[in-house]
């Protein structure tokens, strides 16, 4: 019990250190540049304390639960020797974590609001919900497919640089033909997939799988899945824009 408490307190201290640069930047510009008092200082301090606690619990939970389960499941599937089940698990993991990604939900809702205001879709709640859900599921499918490709790369030993370069060539070509209003959303969709939920589990999957396959180096082969998860959503969201335009 004491050991767990010490680990938690270290994580709490680490969260404070991580947030300190942000606090110093905001305080400097607020007091030195704007020369104004901080509005609602009580609410800000309470919110800051909640952010520190939330970040601490999140990091502590990752190290305690998500990283171990991701690695152990990847190793178990590799030892089982069933590639089909491993790929199915990889797709479901990528799809499920991306659908639940808070940053993607926020971007999809904002994109729906802007699309309605710009006349891309009908300015109704139903149309905005359908657009946001379509965007979320498109990105989630793209990430699931990306993780499958990444897992196949680890299994087969394919060089990552050629796959990434080929993918970005496709992105550039899609940018030329896709509607201009979807391009920015597509590029942002590639970034929001690599966030709080997706990254820990996908990274653990890659490292665990590379550790379980003979001849694979976790440092060389275990990482790189996140690059695919950032790349494929850009392609599929531009396709989504072409379909609904």
């Amino acid at each position: 019990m004491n050991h767990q408490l010490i680990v938690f307190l270290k994580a709490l201290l680490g969260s404070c250190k991580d947030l300190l640069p942000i606090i110093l930047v905001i305080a400097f510009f607020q007091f030195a540049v704007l020369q104004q008092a901080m509005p609602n200082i009580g609410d800000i301090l309470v919110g800051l304390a909640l952010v520190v606690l939330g970040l601490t619990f999140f990091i502590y939970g990752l190290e305690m639960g998500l990283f171990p389960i991701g690695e152990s499941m990847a190793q178990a599937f590799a030892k089982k020797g069933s590639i089909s089940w491993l790929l199915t698990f990889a797709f479901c993991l990528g799809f499920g974590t991306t659908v639940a990604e808070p940053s993607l939900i926020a971007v999809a809702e904002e994109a729906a609001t802007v699309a309605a205001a710009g006349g891309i879709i009908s300015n109704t709640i139903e149309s905005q919900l359908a657009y946001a859900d379509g965007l979320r599921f498109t990105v989630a499918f793209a990430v699931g497919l990306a993780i499958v490709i990444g897992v196949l790369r680890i299994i087969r030993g394919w060089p990552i640089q050629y796959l990434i370069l080929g993918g970005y060539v496709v992105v550039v070509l899609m940018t030329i033909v896709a509607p201009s209003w979807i391009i920015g959303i597509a590029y942002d969709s590639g970034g929001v997939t690599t966030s709080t939920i997706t990254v820990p589990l996908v990274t653990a999957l890659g490292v665990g799988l590379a550790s379980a396959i003979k001849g694979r180096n976790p440092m060389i082969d275990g990482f790189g899945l996140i690059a695919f998860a950032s790349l494929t959503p850009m392609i599929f969201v531009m396709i989504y824009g072409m379909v609904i335009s």
Side-chain angles (χ1 to χ4, degrees), residues 161-177 187 231 234-235 238:
Q161 60 270 27
Y162 299 121
L163 294 173
I164 295 297
L165 286 173
Y168 276 105
V169 168
V170 176
V171 169
V172 172
L173 294 175
M174 289 294 301
T175 303
I176 296 173
V177 299
Y187 279 42
L231 175 61
M234 291 188 281
I235 299 172
M238 282 189 275

Side-chain angles (χ1 to χ4, degrees), residues 88 93 167 229:
T88 301
L93 180 68

Side-chain angles (χ1 to χ4, degrees), residues 88-109:
T88 301
F89 170 69
F91 178 83
C92 292
L93 180 68
F95 186 92
T97 54
T98 305
V99 165
E101 193 65 64
S103 54
L104 176 60
I105 295 173
V107 168
E109 291 178 351

Side-chain angles (χ1 to χ4, degrees), residues 38-158:
M38 191 76 73
N40 302 320
I41 186 66
D43 292 340
I44 291 175
L45 291 176
V46 171
L48 184 61
L50 292 176
V51 168
V52 171
L53 288 174
L55 183 61
T56 302
F57 281 117
F58 177 70
I59 295 174
Y60 188 67
L62 289 181
E63 295 175 352
M64 189 175 184
L66 289 187
F67 275 123
I69 195 172
E71 291 186 19
S72 63
M73 290 190 72
Q75 292 173 359
F77 276 115
K79 292 176 182 178
K80 188 178 179 64
S82 175
I83 295 180
S84 59
W85 277 113
L86 175 60
L87 295 180
T88 301
F89 170 69
F91 178 83
C92 292
L93 180 68
F95 186 92
T97 54
T98 305
V99 165
E101 193 65 64
S103 54
L104 176 60
I105 295 173
V107 168
E109 291 178 351
E110 186 65 23
T113 302
V114 174
I120 305 300
I121 59 176
S122 301
N123 194 7
T124 62
I125 296 177
E126 292 78 10
S127 296
Q128 292 183 38
L129 288 175
Y131 178 90
D133 289 343
L135 186 60
R136 282 178 60 200
F137 286 116
T138 298
V139 173
F141 177 84
V143 173
L145 182 62
I147 305 305
V148 169
I149 295 172
V151 168
L152 280 173
R153 181 194 71 83
I154 295 174
I155 295 173
R156 303 298 184 189
W158 296 336

Side-chain angles (χ1 to χ4, degrees), residues 1-36:
M1 184 67 180
N2 291 333
H3 173 71
Q4 294 291 338
L5 180 60
I6 292 173
V7 173
F8 176 77
L9 291 176
K10 287 183 178 179
L12 182 63
L13 180 61
S15 298
C16 293
K17 290 181 178 179
D18 292 337
L19 289 172
L20 183 60
I22 303 175
I23 296 172
L24 292 177
V25 167
I26 293 175
F28 172 78
F29 281 94
Q30 182 70 31
F31 297 113
V33 179
L34 298 177
Q35 297 181 350
Q36 295 178 358

